[in-house]
């Protein structure tokens, strides 16, 4: 649809016209928002969707007047808020007045609640402070309002959380505290910038339900920003699709889902793992867009139906694959594994309260198999992964790798075992040394394990690995900060492959990525599995992603296995209430192949 100017409407609460926002970098000016126009009506929920770098968050920061100075500048355009007042050039716009308007008329919830909350102040104090800043109330009355807000956002035990520090509560609870702070002064507009991206699917669903309820109760208008069209379908009335700083399509959610027009929108819809089909690989944005001779991105004529039909698997293909794996040798076998942590100690240092993070778990993985491991945060997934690698101590049970018990291995045997078993972590930035060039990060494990004869051979192997994961040789001497999140995850995959492993644990390795980047990385992992005959344990809280990757799925809850079985059987016929709840919480972005 492009940047069509909004029509005049008596019901408009916010009007943005020809907004252009730039950032001054060291040697260039980047146009982050490129002449966009839209309006927000009273009581409307407007979704803004796009990948990292599309300009959606910069749009929200421009509206809030929160651009980082002196780098971010609104170069042109108009933002009219309430009764036609020009927000950018309002006379007498002191910082004090801007702050007053921000809290009372327009508020914002940021993506990462831990970085938005002050770690040295209690949750109650921070919300009370916001209430007193915008309302002439004494501390006692402000405290009562804060407790009432904590009840409205459905925080468990509001009195305890009022006195708790941010590190003492869960991610979902921190996000509820941020929501309470945002609605504390009953704003006209609430901007939510990726408020559920880092949360489990079940917690995400409860936050989305909560925001819809609060929007209706407080009669707010909502701007909801995300990279996931599935989330948008659950919360928004109307949607703007942003790409490279522009609005490429906008309209009612139902129209966008049934009749997407722009190739980028089609790509975003198609690249999520489907719930009712099986693909040989996930569609990606490049299936719908390409670069012409001048370097300009143009759309391909492909329809979603054409692209999906090309990768659609026969209904029984996944079962045939598993039949071929069933006769393969067992690579890893876990028996009655228990990992415990002490949560309280007595005066004499003895354990008073013990938490069984992994509680009597038994399973096996065969050569060439992908076992999906799914469950909410705190269920024991990551603890189990670290125990398998002997990174934490186990209290009971045994772990056998190729029929050899790893607890009985000597230090040299354990070193050889860790060469064969690698792990890819969730956050690719924190798992790479920011001061080490990526080439060195990939060759370092080769050097430690004395692979290849010299530095030149190790470099050649590293370049080959970079090319295997879709990067290039000229990137060998770059640093991690010079890459996007998806590229950094590819680097971590290349590093994991550097030791010629046969078994890789993927611990939430795509959870923080945009949906299209996630699709590209998942396709890469599938290709590498076939090329190098790898086995995986694939850990995630998103059952749709796990189902796409896995032959079998193991569902964990509170340290125990809820159920384990073939991936499609678990999805189509869950045997426990917990698994069914995980499935029901998956954001739906399904389309009818016969109608789209």
């Amino acid at each position: 649809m492009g940047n069509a100017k909004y029509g005049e409407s008596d019901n408009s609460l916010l009007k943005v016209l020809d907004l252009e926002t730039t950032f001054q970098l060291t040697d260039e000016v980047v146009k982050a928002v490129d002449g966009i126009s839209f309006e927000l009506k009273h009581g409307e929920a407007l979704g803004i969707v796009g990948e990292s770098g599309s300009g959606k968050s910069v749009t929200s920061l421009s509206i809030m007047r929160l651009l980082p100075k002196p780098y971010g500048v609104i170069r042109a355009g108009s933002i009219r808020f309430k009764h036609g007042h020009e927000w950018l050039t309002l006379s007498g716009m002191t910082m004090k007045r801007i702050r007053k308007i921000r809290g009372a008329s327009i508020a914002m919830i940021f993506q990462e609640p831990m970085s938005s909350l002050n770690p040295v102040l209690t949750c109650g104090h921070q919300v009370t402070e916001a209430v007193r800043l915008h309302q002439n109330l004494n501390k006692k009355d402000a405290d009562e309002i804060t407790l009432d807000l904590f009840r409205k956002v459905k925080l468990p035990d509001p009195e305890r959380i009022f006195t708790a520090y941010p590190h003492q509560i869960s991610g979902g609870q921190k996000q509820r505290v941020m929501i309470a702070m945002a609605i504390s002064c009953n704003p006209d507009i609430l901007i939510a910038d990726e408020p559920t991206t880092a949360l489990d699917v079940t917690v995400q669903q409860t936050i989305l339900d909560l925001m819809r309820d609060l929007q209706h109760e407080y009669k707010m208008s909502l701007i909801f920003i995300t990279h996931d069209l599935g989330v948008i379908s659950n919360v928004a009335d109307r949607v703007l699709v942003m790409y490279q700083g522009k609005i490429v399509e906008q309209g009612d959610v139902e129209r966008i889902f049934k009749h997407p027009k722009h190739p980028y929108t089609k790509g975003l819809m198609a690249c999520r793992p489907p719930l009712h089909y099986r693909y040989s690989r996930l569609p990606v944005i490049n299936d719908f867009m390409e670069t012409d001779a001048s370097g300009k991105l143009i759309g391909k004529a492909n329809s979603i139906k054409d692209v999906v039909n090309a990768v659609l698997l026969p209904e029984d293909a996944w079962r045939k694959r598993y039949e071929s794996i069933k006769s393969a040798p067992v690579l890893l076998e876990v028996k009655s594994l228990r990992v415990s942590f002490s949560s309280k100690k007595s005066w004499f240092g003895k354990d008073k309260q013990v938490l069984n993070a992994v509680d009597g778990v038994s399973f096996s993985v065969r050569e060439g198999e992908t076992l999906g491991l799914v469950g909410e945060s705190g269920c024991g997934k990551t603890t189990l992964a670290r125990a398998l690698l002997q990174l934490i101590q186990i209290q009971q049970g045994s772990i056998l790798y190729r029929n050899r018990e790893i607890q009985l291995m000597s230090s040299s045997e354990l070193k050889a075992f860790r060469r064969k078993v690698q792990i890819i972590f969730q956050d690719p930035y924190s798992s790479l040394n920011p001061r080490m060039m990526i080439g060195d990060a990939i060759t370092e494990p080769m050097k430690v394990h004395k692979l290849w004869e010299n530095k030149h051979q190790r470099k050649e192997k590293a370049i080959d690995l970079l090319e295997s994961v879709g990067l290039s040789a000229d990137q060998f001497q770059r640093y991690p900060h010079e890459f996007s999140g998806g590229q950094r995850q590819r680097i971590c995959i290349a590093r994991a492959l550097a030791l010629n492993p046969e078994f890789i644990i993927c611990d939430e390795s795509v959870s923080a990525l945009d949906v299209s980047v996630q699709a590209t990385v998942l396709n890469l992992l599938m290709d590498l599995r076939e090329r190098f005959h790898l086995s995986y344990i694939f850990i995630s809280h998103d059952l749709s992603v796990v189902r796409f990757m896995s032959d079998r799925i193991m569902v964990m809850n509170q340290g125990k296995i809820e159920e384990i079985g073939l991936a499609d059987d678990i999805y189509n016929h869950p045997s426990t209430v917990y698994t069914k709840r995980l499935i029901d919480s998956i954001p739906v972005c399904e389309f009818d192949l016969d109608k789209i």
Side-chain angles (χ1 to χ4, degrees):
M1 179 175 286
N3 290 346
K5 290 183 173 56
Y6 53 73
E8 291 298 320
S9 171
D10 294 333
N11 197 31
S12 290
L13 183 60
L14 176 73
K15 292 184 179 181
V16 176
L17 178 63
D18 297 328
L19 181 67
E20 183 179 308
T21 302
T22 63
F23 283 84
Q24 177 66 59
L25 302 183
T26 305
D27 53 358
E28 63 176 328
V29 175
V30 174
K31 193 178 288 186
V33 176
D34 191 3
I36 68 169
S37 300
F38 66 91
E39 69 174 45
L40 177 68
K41 297 177 181 178
H42 283 273
E44 180 182 34
L46 176 68
I48 302 180
V49 68
E51 300 171 283
S52 298
S54 64
K56 57 188 190 301
S57 291
V58 176
T59 298
S60 67
L61 293 174
S62 300
I63 294 171
M64 290 290 292
R65 300 282 299 272
L66 285 174
L67 291 169
K69 294 181 178 180
Y71 311 105
V73 178
I74 297 175
R75 293 288 181 188
S78 167
I79 300 175
R80 295 178 190 169
F81 174 66
K82 228 180 179 184
H83 312 304
H85 293 308
E86 178 53 61
W87 179 226
L88 298 182
T89 58
L90 203 59
S91 60
M93 200 58 137
T94 62
M95 185 52 65
K96 184 177 180 181
R97 189 176 178 194
I98 289 174
R99 287 174 180 159
K100 197 78 174 175
I101 292 174
R102 275 193 201 127
S105 297
I106 183 167
M108 188 167 179
I109 305 166
F110 295 93
Q111 177 174 352
E112 179 44 66
M114 192 64 206
S115 61
S116 305
L117 292 170
N118 190 326
V120 300
L121 297 176
T122 64
C123 297
H125 177 89
Q126 295 185 61
V127 179
T128 297
E129 187 179 44
V131 171
R132 296 188 69 188
L133 180 66
H134 297 284
Q135 301 180 48
N136 187 23
L137 295 172
N138 60 41
K139 185 178 183 301
K140 182 180 178 182
D141 291 341
D143 286 351
E144 283 301 318
I145 288 175
T146 297
L147 282 168
D148 185 54
L149 286 167
F150 281 4
R151 295 182 191 104
K152 284 189 174 180
V153 299
K154 300 177 183 176
L155 277 166
D157 196 356
E159 287 78 11
R160 179 186 65 82
I161 291 178
F162 185 92
T163 59
Y165 290 89
H167 72 274
Q168 295 175 309
I169 61 177
S170 70
Q173 290 171 344
K174 283 194 279 280
Q175 199 60 284
R176 288 170 187 263
V177 170
M178 287 299 301
I179 293 171
M181 188 184 299
I183 66 171
S184 62
C185 296
N186 193 13
D188 298 296
I189 299 173
L190 178 62
I191 300 175
D193 186 7
E194 299 270 16
T196 62
T197 298
L199 303 178
D200 293 336
V201 285
T202 49
V203 179
Q204 173 179 266
Q205 189 59 53
T206 60
I207 294 294
L208 293 177
D209 292 341
L210 171 65
M211 292 189 70
R212 279 196 300 266
D213 293 344
L214 292 172
Q215 183 201 356
H216 294 141
E217 180 180 348
Y218 284 82
K219 297 180 173 58
M220 294 183 296
S221 295
L222 177 66
I223 296 177
F224 194 98
I225 298 169
T226 181
H227 62 262
D228 191 340
L229 270 168
V231 172
I232 286 289
S233 69
N234 285 352
V235 75
D237 306 308
R238 195 161 52 88
V239 61
L240 312 178
V241 182
M242 290 192 69
Y243 181 68
Q244 294 187 342
K246 297 179 182 292
I247 296 173
V248 296
E249 187 163 5
Q250 59 180 301
D252 294 340
V253 167
E254 186 177 0
R255 200 279 296 166
I256 294 289
F257 272 76
K258 288 186 176 179
H259 306 289
K261 295 179 180 178
H262 197 276
Y264 181 67
T265 310
K266 294 176 184 178
L268 285 180
M269 288 182 63
C271 65
R272 265 197 72 87
L275 302 182
H276 303 296
Y277 308 100
R278 272 275 187 172
Y279 293 164
S280 58
R281 56 173 287 277
L282 290 172
V284 294
I285 298 295
N286 288 344
D287 292 323
F288 299 91
M289 302 182 73
E290 62 185 349
T291 305
D292 65 12
S294 65
K296 181 181 178 182
L297 284 168
I298 58 173
K300 296 179 181 178
N302 294 342
S303 68
I304 292 180
K305 186 174 182 179
D306 290 338
V307 172
V308 167
N309 281 337
V311 298
L312 201 58
L313 283 173
E315 196 169 319
D316 62 342
W318 64 275
R319 197 178 292 272
K320 287 181 179 178
R321 171 182 154 77
Y322 183 69
E323 289 300 317
S324 68
I325 291 172
K326 270 203 316 186
S327 58
V330 172
L331 193 62
L332 176 78
E333 187 171 9
V334 176
K335 298 179 180 179
S336 305
L337 187 67
R338 178 169 283 110
V339 180
S340 303
F341 298 104
S342 174
S343 55
K344 286 186 179 179
K345 289 185 178 289
S346 69
W347 281 100
F348 301 101
K350 292 185 177 181
D351 295 339
K352 286 180 62 179
Q353 188 172 334
V354 174
L355 170 68
N356 290 324
V358 177
D359 193 359
V361 167
S362 301
F363 65 94
S364 63
V365 181
R366 295 183 179 272
E367 286 185 5
E369 181 183 11
T370 298
L371 176 68
L373 178 52
V374 67
E376 298 172 291
S377 294
C379 72
K381 306 188 300 292
T382 296
T383 301
L384 174 59
R386 293 175 184 272
L388 296 180
L389 291 168
Q390 292 290 278
L391 298 177
I392 54 176
Q393 187 177 0
I394 68 172
Q395 277 67 48
Q396 183 180 314
S398 63
I399 304 169
L400 287 84
Y401 189 79
R402 293 199 178 279
N403 295 317
R404 180 82 171 93
E405 193 156 354
I406 63 173
Q407 299 98 302
L408 302 179
M409 289 180 178
S410 65
S411 57
S412 60
E413 288 175 318
L414 194 59
K415 184 178 179 180
F417 161 76
R418 285 182 174 150
R419 173 187 160 187
K420 290 296 183 183
V421 182
Q422 292 288 299
I423 186 167
I424 303 169
F425 295 100
Q426 177 174 356
D427 184 357
Y429 195 77
S430 63
S431 45
L432 290 170
N433 187 333
R435 297 183 179 182
M436 182 181 286
M437 289 185 292
I438 65 156
D440 294 334
I442 296 170
T443 57
E444 183 184 42
M446 301 181 201
K447 187 176 180 181
V448 169
H449 287 271
K450 297 181 172 58
L451 294 183
W452 312 104
E453 292 182 4
N454 53 52
K455 184 177 180 180
H456 176 72
Q457 288 186 355
R458 287 192 284 270
K459 181 177 179 179
E460 288 298 312
K461 176 63 175 177
I463 288 172
D464 180 55
L465 288 170
L466 284 173
E467 291 173 346
S468 296
V469 299
L471 298 173
S472 60
D474 60 2
Q475 294 171 316
F476 184 91
Q477 292 183 307
R478 294 187 184 178
Y479 289 90
H481 73 271
E482 298 179 78
F483 296 87
S484 69
Q487 289 173 322
R488 285 196 292 265
Q489 199 59 286
R490 288 167 181 262
I491 294 163
C492 290
I493 293 170
R495 184 178 61 181
L497 293 171
L499 299 178
N500 300 321
E502 51 192 17
F503 187 20
I504 298 179
I505 298 172
C506 304
D507 187 7
E508 298 276 13
S509 54
V510 297
S511 299
L513 304 178
D514 290 337
V515 285
S516 65
V517 179
Q518 173 181 277
T520 304
V521 172
L522 291 175
N523 287 339
L524 172 64
L525 289 170
M526 294 277 273
D527 292 342
L528 293 172
R529 182 180 68 183
E530 303 308 313
R531 178 178 171 183
F532 296 106
H533 196 59
L534 298 170
S535 301
Y536 292 135
I537 288 181
F538 191 89
I539 300 172
S540 178
H541 60 260
D542 187 339
L543 211 147
S544 64
V545 171
V546 171
R547 175 176 172 263
F548 169 74
M549 285 293 300
S550 305
D551 301 298
R552 289 187 302 143
I553 289 176
M554 184 166 76
V555 182
M556 284 190 72
N557 181 23
Q558 296 182 344
K560 297 179 181 289
I561 296 176
E562 283 273 321
E563 56 181 307
I564 186 169
L566 296 182
D568 281 34
D569 290 348
I570 292 283
Y571 176 77
N572 292 319
H573 308 289
S575 62
T576 70
V577 173
Y578 178 77
T579 306
K580 188 175 187 307
R581 184 160 61 88
L582 287 179
I583 294 169
D584 290 343
S585 300
I586 298 171
V588 178
C589 186
E590 293 286 275
F591 40 80
D592 190 329
L593 285 178
D594 296 322
K595 294 181 180 179
I596 200 160

